[in-house]
Amino acid sequence: MADPSLTAPPSTPVSPRVKTLKCSGCGNPLTVRGMERTEAVACEACGSVIDLTDENLRILSTFQSKIKHKPLIPLGSRGKVRGDLFEVIGYLRRAVTVEGEDYEWSEYLLFNPYKGFRWLSEYNGHWNFIKTTTNIPKKKGDGVRYLDKTFLHFQSAESRVTYVLGEFYWKVQAGETCKFTDYIAPPLILSKEQTPQETDWSIGEYIEPETLWSAFRVTSPMPARIGVAPNQLSPYSGKVASLWKLIGYLFLAAVFIHLALFFFSQNKLVFENRFTFQQKDKGKAIVTEIFDIFGRPSNVVIKTAAAPLDNSWLFLNMALISEDGRAYDFGREISYYHGTEDGSAWTEGGFSDEATLPSIPSGRYYLRIEPESSAPMVNYHIRVYRDVPRWSFFFLALGALCILPILLIWRVARFEGKRWSESDHPGTVWMRIPDSTPEEEEGKEKPKGKVSR
Amino acid sequence: MKTFIIVYGAAVLLLMGIAEYRGWSLMSYQEQKGVPKTLRENPGSYRSSYARTLHK
């Protein structure tokens, strides 16, 4: 939801009223669009900042910048932003130095004679539409509370003006500095700017560059967006809850499908018999009587129990063979070992086994069994079940579905990690996932302030 | 993301449903065809791929 004060009803388009004068430094013609509200204008040709409140148009300062920055949105461009028509009248560059590295961003001063001043700021292709506010936020922890919304502290630093162009409502100075503190509640950003003279608060809203390019009919290419802006709305904002719900439904569906198949399975005993192996039978195979397997192609489970096994094994080479000549060949071992080692008893293995043959079609079958054993004599009991419900694929499916919440958490964390990486709190993403439900901003515009980002 | 979750989740559920309905298993076995009917009279004539490989 957009900040309402930034989306006021469209004002009547105003005709540009401009005043021209000559630069006191180089004589270059200068245009003043902000009427009586403009206090200073910067000459593009010589870098002089002229004091318009002085009748002799004295030079306030001169920017000795070797680099001539060109605003992406040219001065004099007019366009509707959030329903109001604004004209770009000033452009400045600010910089902060963090750990010896300079970070620069651009700020555009917008003017509407009825609405006053607004700002557009641009950093790494991310844009904000900003206005000053007279509502003072309340301190809450290291963040602030503003309009029933918690803004998290993002960063504090000192910025300096490195380049100016066009006109401004204060007497901008070369190298002018201010301390600023940013708080975020995407897509809003709240900035506190302090100079020795005053403290100003401004509220900004993240704005898509496409909106600005269209509004101001900018023809130059749009700069690519790099990284994540402090107050950029997460693509998962407001969606995480519904995605969790969806994942929950998938888990419920898995349980439902499994239980339905579980209760509707036959789980029918189709064959059962007891056998005895003796060493004299070694190498001899036996076949069982024929039994019927019904229903759709499904599993056949062969359960075997053997006794006595005392530090010995029984190996059953088995084949489930159909009357029409198909054989499902498999081998199973049952072994049981026990003993004592260093005074403690141990056991290994067991007395039973379970083998599952998959997708066996209906028909008449028998088992061929070829037993081997290390014991002189072993009794074993074989039972054959048809269409037995199994849990393995259910748990595999749950495991596969668990990838979804992991993926969701990872993607949200990755986005927030990028957001906070350039803040004063990198690596604290879990504690600082911002509330991303924008609320209405009721603050009134401050008609004249000082530096507003 | 939502589309991916729906498609992926549906695929997982479908696969699980088919696996359980058809009684799939992860057990290793060999399938042979053309076993003669005379095997019942002479069980020793069958050559199993598992016979005497582990415990000879």
Side-chain angles (χ1 to χ4, degrees):
Chain A
M1 191 172 66
D3 179 354
S5 64
L6 302 182
T7 55
S11 62
T12 310
V14 288
S15 303
R17 285 173 58 191
V18 296
K19 187 169 81 177
T20 53
L21 49 97
K22 282 189 176 178
C23 172
S24 316
C26 65
N28 190 50
L30 299 173
T31 306
V32 179
R33 300 176 179 88
M35 297 181 288
E36 71 278 0
R37 292 191 181 187
T38 299
E39 290 194 2
V41 62
C43 174
E44 186 180 6
C46 67
S48 300
V49 181
I50 316 295
D51 182 359
L52 294 184
T53 59
D54 184 86
E55 59 183 22
N56 297 318
L57 300 178
R58 71 184 174 99
I59 295 172
L60 284 168
S61 59
T62 303
F63 280 83
Q64 299 292 337
S65 178
K66 288 178 183 173
I67 304 165
K68 298 278 184 197
H69 294 281
K70 193 180 174 189
L72 290 166
I73 305 174
L75 296 190
S77 301
R78 305 173 89 222
K80 268 189 176 179
V81 187
R82 300 289 190 239
D84 292 315
L85 189 68
F86 287 99
E87 184 169 1
V88 181
I89 63 168
Y91 170 80
L92 60 81
R93 297 275 293 174
R94 285 181 184 277
V96 291
T97 305
V98 180
E99 292 170 356
E101 197 171 334
D102 284 348
Y103 297 89
E104 272 199 18
W105 67 92
S106 300
E107 296 186 359
Y108 298 77
L109 181 59
L110 310 181
F111 178 66
N112 173 310
Y114 303 106
K115 297 287 174 183
F117 295 102
R118 299 286 188 275
W119 289 91
L120 286 172
S121 74
E122 183 270 328
Y123 175 65
N124 274 350
H126 297 280
W127 294 78
N128 276 297
F129 184 55
I130 299 164
K131 62 175 280 190
T132 52
T133 178
T134 49
N135 287 358
I136 307 298
K138 289 176 184 166
K139 191 89 179 151
K140 189 189 175 193
D142 70 341
V144 290
R145 192 86 184 140
Y146 183 71
L147 300 172
D148 296 328
K149 197 163 180 59
T150 301
F151 286 71
L152 300 176
H153 177 258
F154 192 80
Q155 64 176 352
S156 300
E158 186 173 82
S159 72
R160 64 184 183 280
V161 175
T162 59
Y163 185 80
V164 292
L165 198 60
E167 55 195 282
F168 298 90
Y169 55 81
W170 81 98
K171 294 179 182 69
V172 63
Q173 298 283 326
E176 178 182 288
T177 61
C178 81
K179 286 180 181 170
F180 72 88
T181 307
D182 286 338
Y183 302 91
I184 60 159
L188 302 178
I189 186 166
L190 199 56
S191 297
K192 178 186 175 186
E193 289 172 336
Q194 288 176 294
T195 60
Q197 292 76 39
E198 61 184 339
T199 299
D200 288 321
W201 287 88
S202 59
I203 179 90
E205 185 184 16
Y206 190 86
I207 190 166
E208 296 297 326
E210 292 82 2
T211 310
L212 297 173
W213 253 242
S214 164
F216 289 97
R217 296 188 187 86
V218 182
T219 52
S220 60
M222 209 180 294
R225 277 188 272 196
I226 300 165
V228 174
N231 59 325
Q232 187 176 347
L233 205 54
S234 167
Y236 309 103
S237 168
K239 295 179 189 167
V240 174
S242 66
L243 292 178
W244 276 112
K245 210 171 171 181
L246 181 61
I247 291 168
Y249 285 139
L250 289 171
F251 275 93
L252 282 177
V255 173
F256 178 78
I257 292 168
H258 175 70
L259 290 180
L261 291 167
F262 191 95
F263 287 115
F264 286 107
S265 57
Q266 291 180 40
N267 198 17
K268 187 181 177 186
L269 180 68
V270 292
F271 173 78
E272 180 180 24
N273 209 344
R274 292 172 192 278
F275 304 89
T276 300
F277 169 81
Q278 292 178 309
Q279 283 298 332
K280 67 181 174 64
D281 300 327
K282 190 177 177 183
K284 289 182 185 172
I286 54 168
V287 290
T288 67
E289 57 265 37
I290 289 173
F291 51 88
D292 289 314
I293 287 178
F294 298 102
R296 67 176 193 280
S298 183
N299 64 20
V300 167
V301 175
I302 297 100
K303 294 180 180 179
T304 312
L309 284 176
D310 186 10
N311 285 325
S312 56
W313 51 263
L314 170 71
F315 181 80
L316 299 174
N317 166 31
M318 287 194 272
L320 178 71
I321 302 169
S322 69
E323 276 197 327
D324 61 4
R326 273 174 291 116
Y328 303 91
D329 201 4
F330 59 99
R332 306 296 293 182
E333 181 181 284
I334 306 171
S335 62
Y336 180 75
Y337 293 90
H338 61 93
T340 53
E341 194 172 314
D342 298 331
S344 57
W346 58 269
T347 63
E348 187 183 299
F351 300 99
S352 62
D353 176 69
E354 203 171 289
T356 305
L357 290 170
S359 302
I360 305 296
S362 60
R364 290 172 65 74
Y365 290 85
Y366 61 93
L367 278 173
R368 175 190 178 275
I369 307 164
E370 191 177 330
E372 292 177 67
S373 179
S374 60
M377 199 255 319
V378 184
N379 295 314
Y380 58 98
H381 180 202
I382 291 181
R383 285 169 296 165
V384 179
Y385 289 85
R386 170 61 160 171
D387 191 21
V388 181
R390 313 304 284 176
W391 288 85
S392 51
F393 286 99
F394 172 67
F395 287 119
L396 280 174
L398 291 189
L401 289 178
C402 280
I403 291 171
L404 293 174
I406 292 167
L407 187 70
L408 181 61
I409 290 166
W410 176 71
R411 293 191 73 161
V412 170
R414 195 175 66 149
F415 186 88
E416 294 302 330
K418 280 183 187 172
R419 182 201 301 285
W420 289 98
S421 64
E422 289 192 17
S423 75
D424 292 346
H425 316 277
T428 58
V429 58
W430 293 113
M431 287 175 278
R432 308 190 74 82
I433 290 182
D435 177 3
S436 295
T437 313
E439 290 175 19
E440 295 188 348
E441 197 262 324
E442 295 162 357
K444 293 172 187 170
E445 177 202 353
K446 190 178 178 183
K448 275 200 174 189
K450 203 166 182 184
V451 184
S452 297
R453 295 190 316 112
Chain B
M1 185 76 181
K2 190 177 181 181
T3 311
F4 171 77
I5 289 175
I6 290 171
V7 171
Y8 176 83
V12 168
L13 294 181
L14 186 70
L15 209 60
M16 184 197 80
I18 292 172
E20 291 198 348
Y21 184 79
R22 300 279 297 184
W24 289 359
S25 165
L26 303 174
M27 191 186 94
S28 99
Y29 71 100
Q30 293 285 325
E31 189 174 345
Q32 295 184 28
K33 285 179 181 171
V35 176
K37 290 194 173 181
T38 55
L39 178 71
R40 285 191 61 75
E41 283 75 51
N42 184 14
S45 65
Y46 180 79
R47 284 287 161 260
S48 165
S49 30
Y50 289 87
R52 299 191 180 97
T53 53
L54 295 172
H55 300 282
K56 192 155 187 181

